[in-house]
Amino acid sequence: KHLDRQIAFMPHVASWFQGIALTTTMHLDRELTPAQVQALFDEYFRGEPLIRVSKAAPYVRDVMTHHHVAVGGFAVDP
């Protein structure tokens, strides 16, 4: 809703997780590299203390018992 486009997401959960991992997909309106997508996320979430953006895909263990969201592992389908 906030991005004004359809987004699909697949949560990955198990009874032993202490958090939620999910994969999201969306259509881009222009060609971008994974680094450019990450740069957009870096810029948008700069200064947000509870959101951490990284190049690598985060694991649940990276956020379990912490109060923040980890975003990363950006990929673009050619």
Side-chain angles (χ1 to χ4, degrees):
K1 176 182 174 184
H2 296 288
L3 295 174
D4 195 30
R5 67 185 68 233
Q6 187 175 9
I7 298 175
F9 73 97
M10 173 62 65
H12 312 282
V13 296
S15 60
W16 44 270
F17 279 169
Q18 292 186 14
I20 297 174
L22 59 97
T23 301
T24 58
T25 60
M26 62 187 283
H27 292 281
L28 302 175
D29 57 4
R30 64 184 189 272
E31 287 190 27
L32 296 170
T33 66
Q36 290 171 316
V37 174
Q38 181 184 340
L40 291 170
F41 275 77
D42 284 334
E43 182 179 332
Y44 187 84
F45 291 115
R46 182 174 293 131
E48 292 288 341
L50 298 179
I51 301 176
R52 298 181 184 161
V53 180
S54 66
K55 182 177 181 177
Y59 292 98
V60 172
R61 69 175 181 239
D62 299 331
V63 296
M64 63 186 248
T65 71
H66 300 288
H67 297 288
H68 71 272
V69 173
V71 180
F74 302 100
V76 178
D77 185 12

